[in-house]
Amino acid sequence: MLKYFISNKLPAGHPLTYLFLAFITMVGLSYINFMPGFVNALAGNIGFNEAEAGQIVALNGYGGLIGSTIAIFLVRRIQWQPAMFLFLVLLSAIDLSTIWLSELSVSTTGSSNYTLMLGWRFLAGTFGGLSLGIGFAVLARLNNPDRAFGTLLFIQFSIGSIVMYFLPELEAQLSAYAVFYVMAAFVLMSLAILPFLPALSLKYSTSNQPISDHTASFSGTSHNALLLMLAIITYQIAASAIWAYVGLIGLGANISNDDVSMYIATTGLLGVLGAMLPVISGNRYGRLYWIMAGIGMSMVSAIMLSASQLTPLLYVIAMSLLFFSWPAIQSYLLAVTAEQDTSGKLSTIAAVVSSIGLASGPLIASGFLNSENFSLMLYVCIAIFVLSFILLLKPVQAQEQERSIKLPAQYPS
């Protein structure tokens, strides 16, 4: 392993390449991994109300959408590492300056400036989305898309659990703005490991053949690809809506803040197991049944959280179901996307629609809150989970059938 660091570049197939690239991709919108802590901080000592907190998170996500959309047109025209370095530097500067601007606003006006926070977090999301979109395209170019996106989800849920566990202590030691220090620290770590990644070209497929515009765009305009993108966005809307408010749901059930953070952190570790599922199994047993089971678990999670008498046990079980199923479903769907288009362009589009879902979830959820009652919001999430399942059924079935036809040809008796 040492020789790779001495030569300064890892091979494309090395496990550390998957790990480092997944980490850097995650960092673009890292707040998503500990969104309940972000929302709790904004709606707590930083001084915004619950609806404003959800809207700030949503604007951060819509900035990510803009950035990821721009990345679609950049990925085949740029050297990805210098571009990634620039966007990450700008992102870290904005994360750190958010703290200064908010504290300045409080000191001069006596309260946090809602409009200023909206605009500044939108800008942070834009640069984060640019790096995220580029990262998705590079991940799709690696040899094993199931492993690549499974590793990404593994990183996301590992980081989410760790941050949620330590965030209350960090807030006690630093300030209510500790979550912004955490985001900036992750960006700085990404800048440190970026030079070790291989200089993969985004102008060529994994077979080293140039990608024609026709090939690159065919899957992106097909009927199945459209259904797949809609399935990704709807599932992300429902899951992120619950994720954004799961901390406040716990607090509303009279669970203490420290216990809520601990429960989210510990159950979030099941997300690591869910993310490892596609890494371990790959596509050897197909993806459809795993996805069906995962969406069923997500629906049961929302039903349990909507219980009128939410106990700590129900709360923990509900989060366990969601956190295990969410990364498995997303990594399988992203692997389906990567197989539909080897250019990586459709994967970047998937990053965009995923950003739409992640940004829209908290915003939609905030519109269904009623005097801190989360039941209506959770019922809407259940309906959206059902819609996502209906949308993904045809494209995943089609790819399973296509793969079953190809395998005998690839491995003749």
Side-chain angles (χ1 to χ4, degrees):
M1 185 182 297
L2 181 61
K3 66 180 181 180
Y4 298 133
F5 286 94
I6 293 175
S7 64
N8 204 39
K9 293 293 180 183
L10 289 161
H14 196 279
L16 284 179
T17 298
Y18 285 85
L19 186 66
F20 285 177
L21 185 55
F23 182 85
I24 291 172
T25 303
M26 174 279 299
V27 161
L29 295 175
S30 64
Y31 76 92
I32 291 170
N33 309 307
F34 39 89
M35 192 186 294
F38 191 19
V39 172
N40 290 356
L42 291 171
N45 292 332
I46 293 180
F48 300 103
N49 62 43
E50 293 167 350
E52 288 173 340
Q55 290 156 12
I56 290 169
V57 171
L59 260 290
N60 201 139
Y62 282 123
L65 165 63
I66 297 296
S68 298
T69 303
I70 295 171
I72 294 175
F73 304 99
L74 289 180
V75 290
R76 294 175 58 204
R77 295 176 172 84
I78 59 173
Q79 292 184 331
W80 73 271
Q81 283 170 308
M84 184 75 83
F85 182 86
L86 174 62
F87 298 144
L88 289 175
V89 168
L90 292 171
L91 177 59
S92 65
I94 294 173
D95 282 340
L96 291 172
S97 60
T98 299
I99 304 168
W100 176 77
L101 286 172
S102 182
E103 290 180 336
L104 179 64
S105 175
V106 171
S107 65
T108 55
T109 66
S111 63
S112 297
N113 190 314
Y114 171 63
T115 304
L116 178 63
M117 183 67 80
L118 280 176
W120 207 242
R121 294 318 301 171
F122 179 84
L123 187 61
T126 301
F127 290 115
L130 282 163
S131 60
L132 177 74
I134 294 171
F136 262 68
V138 181
L139 281 173
R141 313 307 301 283
L142 298 178
N143 294 330
N144 189 329
D146 288 277
R147 177 183 296 174
F149 290 112
T151 302
L152 173 61
L153 273 296
F154 171 82
I155 290 288
Q156 287 182 320
F157 275 79
S158 299
I159 292 296
S161 294
I162 293 169
V163 172
M164 285 302 302
Y165 184 81
F166 288 105
L167 194 56
E169 180 63 26
L170 289 173
E171 289 176 343
Q173 296 295 325
L174 299 174
S175 70
Y177 299 96
V179 67
F180 295 105
Y181 290 115
V182 170
M183 287 189 276
F186 285 147
V187 176
L188 295 177
M189 291 170 63
S190 293
L191 291 172
I193 63 178
L194 183 61
F196 298 111
L197 292 174
L200 297 169
S201 173
L202 299 184
K203 298 180 182 179
Y204 295 88
S205 71
T206 53
S207 62
N208 293 326
Q209 295 299 317
I211 300 167
S212 68
D213 290 337
H214 175 75
T215 301
S217 62
F218 174 78
S219 294
T221 57
S222 71
H223 179 66
N224 282 343
L226 176 61
L227 289 176
L228 189 59
M229 295 301 103
L230 291 173
I232 290 173
I233 188 175
T234 49
Y235 184 86
Q236 290 285 59
I237 285 172
S240 65
I242 298 174
W243 177 231
Y245 284 97
V246 72
L248 295 179
I249 290 172
L251 294 175
N254 296 319
I255 303 173
S256 71
N257 184 51
D258 287 347
D259 284 345
V260 164
S261 295
M262 182 185 67
Y263 293 153
I264 294 174
T266 52
T267 56
L269 293 175
L270 290 173
V272 176
L273 296 178
M276 288 299 294
L277 187 62
V279 175
I280 296 170
S281 68
N283 195 23
R284 285 175 295 190
Y285 311 111
R287 300 183 179 114
L288 181 60
Y289 293 115
W290 292 115
I291 294 173
M292 290 171 60
I295 290 184
M297 293 167 68
S298 301
M299 293 171 59
V300 171
S301 170
I303 292 170
M304 294 178 74
L305 288 172
S306 66
S308 58
Q309 298 295 326
L310 182 61
T311 65
L313 179 60
L314 280 178
Y315 185 65
V316 168
I317 294 173
M319 289 191 297
S320 299
L321 291 172
L322 180 63
F323 295 164
F324 178 79
S325 58
W326 189 1
I329 290 171
Q330 282 304 105
S331 55
Y332 277 128
L333 290 179
L334 291 171
V336 172
T337 302
E339 284 192 2
Q340 284 200 9
D341 178 13
T342 59
S343 73
K345 185 175 181 179
L346 189 59
S347 292
T348 306
I349 295 173
V352 172
V353 301
S354 182
S355 296
I356 295 174
L358 289 170
S360 300
L363 186 63
I364 291 172
S366 69
F368 288 99
L369 298 181
N370 181 21
S371 299
E372 301 183 3
N373 188 323
F374 300 94
S375 296
L376 178 59
M377 180 267 287
L378 290 165
Y379 296 148
V380 171
C381 289
I382 294 168
I384 296 174
F385 280 136
V386 174
L387 176 60
S388 176
F389 173 76
I390 294 170
L391 290 168
L392 66 83
L393 193 59
K394 183 179 178 181
V396 177
Q397 280 182 326
Q399 191 171 84
E400 298 280 274
Q401 293 170 357
E402 181 181 353
R403 188 177 182 85
S404 66
I405 293 172
K406 287 181 177 180
L407 283 176
Q410 293 174 352
Y411 302 103
S413 56

